[in-house]
Amino acid sequence: MQAQQHTPVPFGTMPDGPVIDAGVMPSAARVAALVAAGEPVRVTLRAESEEDPGMLAAASVYAWLGVRLFLTPPASVPALRQVLDMVSAIQGTTQPVLSRRGLA
C-alpha cells in the first residue's frame, strides 16, 4: 500500500478554489460568518509558548465552527493536531484515537 502524497498549493488557495483568510485570532462571530459563506476559511494562530492553552482552546472553537486551515508556529503543530483530532472525534467525524472506560 502506497502512502498518500500531498502536493503543495499556492498560498491562499486550495485545490478546489480560493481560501478566505480570517486573520490572526479573529472573534468566533467573525469566523462563524465567514464559514457560513461556504468557502474554506483559514485562521492564523499566535502562540505564547509551544502548547499555549489559550491558542489551543481558540483552535478548538475555530475547528468546531468549521475552519479548515490553520497557520501556526511549527513547534505548536503536534499539540494542534491533537486538539483537531479531539474536535473531530467529539463531532463524530472520526473515531477517537484512544478510548478508555473509567469505572469508579
Side-chain angles (χ1 to χ4, degrees):
M1 187 179 225
Q2 198 173 30
Q4 182 180 7
Q5 300 225 350
H6 297 282
T7 304
V9 295
F11 190 74
T13 64
M14 286 186 64
D16 56 350
V19 174
I20 298 173
D21 186 3
V24 179
M25 302 292 282
S27 70
R30 174 170 162 72
V31 169
L34 292 172
V35 169
E39 297 290 337
V41 175
R42 175 183 63 221
V43 169
T44 302
L45 301 172
R46 187 178 319 157
E48 300 295 323
S49 63
E50 283 185 22
E51 293 185 18
D52 179 16
M55 181 206 70
L56 296 175
S60 68
V61 172
Y62 297 144
W64 188 269
L65 293 172
V67 171
R68 291 177 49 191
L69 299 164
F70 293 89
L71 294 178
T72 187
S76 301
V77 170
L80 178 61
R81 178 76 259 168
Q82 188 175 14
V83 166
L84 297 178
D85 289 343
M86 176 197 65
V87 170
S88 180
I90 291 170
Q91 288 179 324
T93 308
T94 61
Q95 292 293 318
V97 173
L98 175 69
S99 59
R100 294 185 180 142
R101 182 173 173 197
L103 300 173

